[in-house]
Amino acid sequence: MTALPPHSRPIRIHSLTDADNACAAATELGAPLLLVSAPGAAASAGAGWFREVIARAAARHPSVAITAVLDCADRPGDALGALSAGIGAILFTGRVDVAERLADIAARRGARLLTALPIALDLRGARDPRRACRDWLNGQDDGHVTE
């Protein structure tokens, strides 16, 4: 199981608009970006949706170093599906023994499996998402954080 860089301040996204706002803020700050899907998005939106959102955001903001993590919750089938779809980093919060097996599979595919994240900024309901991202990436808490 892989650790994140110590400077990581994850931002949870729910749409391409969220990803664009986060990327725009990161561009302004010259900061790397850790984008995480909504909790359990692997089951609801799917790996293909997430891969496409990240690809479009990266194409629109080529100067931003993006690490993207698909949240698979505690569903090993979704985690395997995400790995098969070519997702490079997944979050799995299920049983430890299952996580260990998934981590081995991920490593063989050149992907990373995370079992936890630091507190994240969730853009759902943010009145000014770009500003919220900028403040968050600058180390300020805007009140929209999630565990």
Side-chain angles (χ1 to χ4, degrees), residues 1-95:
M1 289 161 274
T2 306
L4 292 171
H7 64 277
S8 297
R9 293 192 53 94
I11 298 175
R12 286 211 181 255
I13 61 168
H14 303 270
S15 65
L16 178 57
T17 300
D18 286 350
D20 278 338
N21 280 312
C23 287
T27 298
E28 290 174 19
L29 299 171
L33 195 55
L34 175 57
L35 296 179
V36 183
S37 72
S44 58
W49 169 84
F50 186 67
R51 186 180 57 236
E52 186 65 22
V53 164
I54 298 304
R56 286 183 182 189
R60 292 177 182 180
H61 305 275
S63 65
V64 178
I66 300 173
T67 300
V69 179
L70 179 61
D71 188 330
C72 298
D74 61 353
R75 301 170 56 98
D78 291 344
L80 286 171
L83 292 170
S84 293
I87 300 296
I90 60 172
L91 174 64
F92 176 76
T93 56
R95 292 185 356 221

Side-chain angles (χ1 to χ4, degrees), residues 71-138:
D71 188 330
C72 298
D74 61 353
R75 301 170 56 98
D78 291 344
L80 286 171
L83 292 170
S84 293
I87 300 296
I90 60 172
L91 174 64
F92 176 76
T93 56
R95 292 185 356 221
V96 172
D97 61 324
V98 176
E100 289 170 352
R101 289 193 299 267
L102 288 169
D104 288 340
I105 294 167
R108 286 193 300 261
R109 293 176 183 232
R112 297 187 291 174
L113 180 116
L114 307 171
T115 55
L117 284 176
I119 293 174
L121 170 69
D122 192 330
L123 292 180
R124 182 176 305 252
R127 280 182 245 163
D128 185 346
R130 187 170 175 173
R131 179 175 176 210
C133 291
R134 189 174 51 248
D135 290 349
W136 179 251
L137 293 171
N138 267 329

